[in-house]
Each structure stands twice: as C-alpha cells, then as structure tokens.
C-alpha cells in the first residue's frame, strides 16, 4: 500500500480548516436542513515544471468537476474527488481528493499519485488525474477511485489518456498502486469520461464505461465518439480487452456524454447516457437524446438504444452584463433506488432567456420502458445541472445552479446552488438553498468562455435521510483559488 500525500483539515490544522461558512447564525445545526457549508479543496502547492504547467496559464489552483461517494454501511465516511487545473488551460494538471470519517466535520486531502506529472510519474504529464469518479463497493469494505491521465500523442489536440483505478481497504486513508484499464493510441483513439459500476452480488466484478474519442481527435480535435466498456473479475487488478458497446448514428458527429452505468439485481447491465452532438460546441444546434442500453450477458452483447427523451442541445448562456458567455452542458444524470427504480434527470431550455428547467423520468422495469418526463418543481431559471441522487429512504434529490436572483446591469452574475427533493411516494417537490450568491462571471475564462470545469458537473450522494453535495464555486465564495470545492450536508429530517 502507498501512503497518500495528505494535508489534514482537522481542528489542529488551522491554516486549512479556518473557513467554515455557517448557513444559519441563529438556529442550531440539528434544526436546519442545510447543516453547514465547508471549503474542502485547499490546494497543495504543485511544482512549476514544464512537464505539467504552462507559466502563462495562471496558478494551478482551479478546482472543478467534483464527484462524491458515501460508504453504504458508514454514512459518516465520504470521499470527494475533483479535477485541478490552471485558469487558462482546458486540460487538467492534477486530481484532488478529500476524505472524511466524521460526517464532513474534518477532512484529509490528497492527490492521486503515480499518474500525475505534477506530483507523481512524469511520463503521464499532459492531463493529470482528471474526469474521475469514486465508488464504494457493497458492504463498504473497499472503495475505488477512477481517474484518467496521459501525455499528448500526435499533434496533441487531445491528451492521450490512460484510465487508472485505485482501491482502498481502509475507507480512503491509503490507496493501492494504480492499475491501468485502457490507454490511448493513434490506432484506437482516446478513452475519456470513465465511470464505474460494481456487481452487488459479486463485489469483485467491476465494469468501467467510457467514451472513446476516435483517432482523428489527435489531429483535428474531433470529440465525437462511441461507448466502450471493460470488466474485471478480480477487484480491479486485471482487466478485459476494451470493446465497443454502442456507436451513435453517423449522420452527425455524435457521442455518448457522461455515461451512468448500473448493475441491476438480476445481473443485467444498464447504461444511461446523454447523446450529445459535437457540432453544438461550435455554435450549431442539434437536439440531444437521453437513452439507455442494456446487456443481459455481462456486457458481451447490448440491446438497441431505448429512447427516453430529446432535449435542447449543449447550451451557451450569454452574460447579461456583457463579457464572456458561460458553457454549461445540460447533460443527463441518473441514479437507482433501493427498490430497483432507475431515475434520470436532464436540463431543457425554456422561456425568453433560454434558461433551463429540469425534467425527470423513471423506469421500473430495468430500463426497458420509461415514464413520460415531468418537471422538477418550478425550475425554470437553472443555468447548470442537474445532478441526481436518491436517499436510503427513497427521497429523490436534484442539485443545480440557478440565476433567479440575478439583476442585469449590476455587473454581478448572481448564481446560487439549490437542492430540490421529493419523496417518491408524494410527487411534491421542496427546495433548499445550499450556497451563494456568487459571481458566475468570476469563473475561469478559458479562450473567451467561462467554465466551472470543462464539463461543469458536480457531486451529489444520497444518505440514509438526506444528501451530501460537493460542488465548485468561484469568487467571492472561493477563498483558496479562483474556484474551490465546497461540501454541504442536507438533513431532510430537520426543519420539516
């Protein structure tokens, strides 16, 4: 086992634990739905080496693209993983993670080692440990951390990612050496956006899904792609050869965006994803499609895609006060409840301002059929999201960024973070304000576009009776860098 390079956020480490933003100054934490908000991503100093940093691109202190996981048998044990980069670069330079064993009161931070040009092995220096996810195995005895990192190949339009997986058997304190799952080559292309699923009946059986960017991505920056999968029978030590499981229609450069894989109770594999169109990234508009595919033979063969809904394309939102616009993909997010019901939520443009409403659908037969979409509460001024999770008692949670309080002309793009939640049996939605307002216009400006991460996703996990959220915010809320990762705990039993 390797010891992680740790920075303690305990009470004894005042330099890293000094910032605690209490959402209520009057009522006690036990009486408030949102107990507290904490900055957890204080950035370790990274060496300014040519291998991983561009001296002209700003400090390596932009923390974005967070994911979060909760230990299924010890909800006080949570792990957050995020991407760290420079303000002026699209590619990440490092990954960061934070571990808590006391329900978010104190955190220990680290950097995924041996795959990062800034802190580990220099051979993998172009894109350091980004686009990852973290997943606990059933029983909570093992947790996996999945990242991508690699050096440029060919003309360097796209980093030559390798997918790596770590495991920990002590709740995230120490991590194994990383094992390689799949790598980039000029012949096969680039693996990107990996996500992990674990078989609940056989916890050593792992499945990793990702988008495979074609070889043309190296030379011309083509980011279309297909869905790929690989599996492990031994807890991630060895992996099968990668193989394609889905290819979009060829009439447009489409790609499966941020897949959400599940292993159902009967062993069926289900992959829910948003099929986006690369042409939307260059100003054209083609609708996106939420869809699902299934496999009943452990991934060897797959069904035809099941359409769930079509929605507005990859959006760019103009700054109401002038200046750079913000890019915030309205990709789908999916989660599964204890009774096997699968939910998927996505954003869809509405109104004169072309902001987003959040829609949600469900399947009670393992993804074969899906309900008609319905709107999440009164959402109509959303600018980024959603992220979806389900509590142990069956409540559905949707996390998003909202601009309802913005006043055009005040040169402060007021943005807040909200959580909408509903118990599955009631159909009624409630909303909690988690954080903000912050100035969205203070987000890192990358080539004339504001980005809170290349893909602008964030983390939400279901607790037994509430939610744990991890999300980036820029200034003035950020205190360590242009953006920081914040943690919020929502107790649905309080304040109701």
């Amino acid at each position: 086992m390797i010891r992680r390079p740790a920075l303690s956020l305990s009470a004894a480490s005042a330099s890293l634990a000094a910032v605690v933003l209490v959402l209520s100054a009057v009522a006690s934490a036990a009486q408030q739905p949102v107990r507290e908000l904490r900055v957890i991503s204080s950035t370790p100093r990274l060496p300014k080496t040519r291998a991983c940093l561009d001296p002209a691109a700003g400090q390596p202190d932009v923390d974005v693209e967070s994911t979060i996981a909760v230990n299924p048998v010890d909800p006080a044990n949570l792990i957050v993983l995020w991407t760290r980069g420079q303000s002026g670069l699209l590619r990440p330079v490092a990954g960061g993670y934070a571990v808590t064993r006391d329900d978010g009161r104190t955190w220990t931070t680290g950097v995924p080692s041996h795959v990062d040009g800034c802190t580990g092995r220099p051979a993998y220096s172009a894109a350091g440990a980004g686009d990852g996810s973290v997943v606990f195995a059933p029983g909570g005895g093992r947790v996996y951390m999945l990242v991508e990192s690699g050096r440029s190949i060919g003309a360097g339009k796209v980093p030559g990612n390798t997918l790596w997986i770590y495991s920990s058997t002590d709740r995230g304190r120490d991590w194994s050496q990383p094992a390689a799952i799949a790598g980039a080559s000029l012949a096969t292309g680039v693996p990107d956006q990996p996500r992990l699923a674990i078989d609940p009946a056989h916890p050593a059986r792992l499945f990793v899904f990702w988008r495979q960017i074609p070889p043309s991505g190296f030379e011309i920056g083509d980011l279309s792609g297909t869905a790929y999968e690989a599996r492990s029978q031994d807890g991630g030590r060895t992996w099968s050869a990668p193989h394609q499981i889905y290819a979009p229609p060829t009439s447009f450069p489409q790609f499966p965006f941020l897949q959400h894989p599940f292993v159902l109770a009967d062993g069926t594999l289900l992959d829910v994803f948003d099929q986006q169109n690369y042409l939307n990234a260059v100003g054209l508009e083609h609708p996106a499609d939420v869809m699902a595919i299934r496999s009943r033979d452990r991934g060897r063969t797959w069904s035809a895609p099941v359409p769930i809904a079509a929605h507005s394309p990859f959006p760019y939102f103009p700054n109401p006060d002038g200046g750079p616009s913000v890019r915030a993909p309205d990709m789908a997010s999916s989660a599964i409840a204890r009774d096997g019901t699968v939910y998927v939520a996505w954003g869809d443009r509405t109104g004169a301002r072309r902001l987003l409403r959040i829609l949600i659908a469900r399947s009670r037969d393992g993804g074969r059929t899906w309900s008609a979409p319905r709107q999440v509460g009164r959402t109509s001024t959303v600018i980024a999201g959603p992220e979806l999770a389900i509590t142990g008692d069956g409540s559905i949670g949707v996390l998003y960024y909202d601009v309802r309080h913005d006043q055009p002309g005040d040169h402060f793009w007021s943005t807040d973070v909200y959580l909408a939640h509903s118990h599955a049996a009631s159909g009624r939605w409630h909303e909690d304000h988690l954080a903000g307002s912050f100035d969205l216009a203070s987000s890192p400006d990358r080539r004339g576009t504001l980005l809170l991460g290349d893909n602008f996703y964030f983390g939400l996990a279901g607790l037994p009776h509430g939610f744990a959220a991890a999300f980036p915010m820029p200034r003035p809320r950020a205190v360590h860098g242009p953006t920081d990762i914040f943690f919020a705990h929502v107790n649905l039993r309080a304040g109701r």
Side-chain angles (χ1 to χ4, degrees):
M1 300 288 285
I2 57 176
R3 301 291 296 185
R4 79 281 183 268
L7 294 175
S8 177
L9 287 185
S10 64
S13 182
S15 63
L16 296 183
V19 181
V20 178
L21 304 178
V22 181
L23 296 184
S24 172
V26 180
S28 69
Q31 295 173 325
Q32 295 301 300
V34 184
R35 191 183 66 205
E36 60 188 1
L37 184 70
R38 290 180 181 264
V39 181
I40 63 173
S41 62
S42 180
T43 306
R45 290 188 176 273
L46 302 179
K48 291 187 177 180
T49 63
R50 285 190 176 184
C52 55
L53 300 182
D54 183 340
Q59 294 297 313
D61 53 6
V62 176
D63 295 321
V64 292
E65 294 182 345
S66 51
T67 62
I68 187 170
V70 57
N71 190 322
V73 299
D74 179 12
N77 179 204
L78 299 108
I79 300 178
V80 177
L81 178 66
W82 65 87
T83 297
R84 178 168 299 138
Q86 294 177 271
S87 297
L89 289 181
L90 283 172
R91 70 172 185 253
V93 297
Y97 66 85
V99 182
T100 179
R101 299 172 187 85
D102 57 10
D103 204 20
R105 294 175 179 84
T106 60
W107 295 82
T108 300
T109 64
V111 178
S113 58
H114 296 277
V115 297
D116 187 318
C118 290
T119 59
R121 193 161 63 189
Y124 301 93
S125 59
D131 251 344
S133 61
V134 58
V135 180
F136 279 92
R142 187 179 294 268
V143 59
Y144 296 95
M145 183 164 60
L146 181 64
V147 300
E148 62 182 41
S149 177
R151 55 183 176 180
S152 298
I153 301 176
K157 296 286 186 180
V158 178
N161 295 331
T162 295
L163 306 185
W164 304 93
I165 192 166
Y166 303 79
S167 65
S168 172
T169 56
D170 57 7
R171 302 191 300 166
R173 175 176 299 174
D174 302 304
W175 297 88
S176 68
Q177 296 280 349
I181 300 170
S185 75
L186 292 174
T188 61
V190 188
D192 188 35
Q193 298 175 346
R195 291 296 183 264
L196 174 67
I198 302 175
D199 188 338
H202 304 278
R205 185 179 296 158
L206 314 180
F207 301 87
V208 170
F209 295 67
W210 67 88
R211 173 182 64 159
Q212 186 78 4
I213 300 171
S216 56
F218 290 114
E219 308 302 327
I220 63 174
D222 176 12
L223 296 180
S224 62
T226 56
Y228 267 60
E229 177 260 333
R231 69 186 70 91
S232 172
Q233 304 286 353
D234 56 11
R237 290 188 292 272
T238 61
W239 291 84
S240 67
H243 70 286
Q244 180 177 293
I245 62 173
Y246 171 73
T250 57
S251 55
F252 296 105
Q254 296 169 311
F255 56 93
F257 196 69
L258 286 179
Q259 299 170 79
H260 295 268
F262 305 97
V263 183
L264 306 182
D266 64 357
T268 297
L269 290 174
L270 175 66
D271 188 14
V272 181
F273 57 88
D274 212 21
Q275 183 169 276
Q276 291 276 357
N277 194 304
Y278 179 61
L279 294 179
N280 296 328
V282 295
L284 301 178
E285 293 196 0
H286 295 275
D289 297 289
V290 186
M291 55 181 57
I293 56 176
R294 292 166 36 91
S295 172
R296 302 203 60 181
D297 54 12
R298 298 180 184 172
R300 294 176 180 83
T301 61
W302 289 81
S303 70
V306 178
I308 301 172
H311 65 99
S312 56
F314 209 91
Y316 286 77
F317 298 101
N319 187 331
D321 299 320
S325 61
V326 67
R327 189 183 80 180
D330 52 347
M331 64 277 193
S333 178
S334 190
I336 188 168
R338 286 187 174 181
D339 66 0
T341 302
V342 183
Y343 294 86
V344 60
W346 62 94
D348 192 52
R349 289 184 186 177
T350 183
R353 297 173 63 188
R354 305 195 73 195
L355 296 170
L356 302 174
R357 58 177 179 160
I358 303 300
L359 301 175
I360 190 168
R362 70 185 179 192
S363 173
R364 290 181 168 173
D365 58 7
R368 296 183 186 89
T369 61
W370 294 82
S371 68
R374 56 188 177 91
Q375 187 167 337
V376 172
R378 297 181 179 180
T379 54
S380 61
T381 51
V382 174
I383 202 166
E387 192 66 36
L388 178 67
I390 302 172
T391 66
D393 60 8
S395 292
I396 307 161
V398 179
L399 185 69
Y400 48 89
Y401 291 61
D402 192 286
V403 293
R404 70 186 68 174
H405 299 304
D406 183 54
Q407 299 293 326
D410 64 358
H411 300 287
F412 189 99
W413 199 348
S414 297
T415 307
D416 295 79
V417 184
Y418 286 91
L419 175 73
H421 50 89
S422 172
H423 196 278
S426 72
R428 297 187 301 272
W429 289 92
H430 306 272
E431 189 178 63
D432 286 320
H433 178 263
L434 298 194
S437 293
F438 61 83
D439 184 7
L440 188 59
S442 69
S443 303
D445 184 349
R446 299 179 179 179
R447 302 176 188 175
T449 301
L450 301 176
L451 295 171
L452 273 178
D454 187 22
N455 298 313
F456 207 155
Y457 56 78
F458 30 91
L460 185 68
L463 302 172
H465 305 289
F467 295 94
F471 47 88
M473 287 195 293
R475 295 186 174 113
R477 297 294 177 175
V479 294
H480 297 301
T483 62
D484 291 330
I485 304 299
F486 291 75
F487 168 79
H489 181 285
V490 181
N491 181 4
L492 296 188
R493 285 186 167 182
R496 297 286 179 254

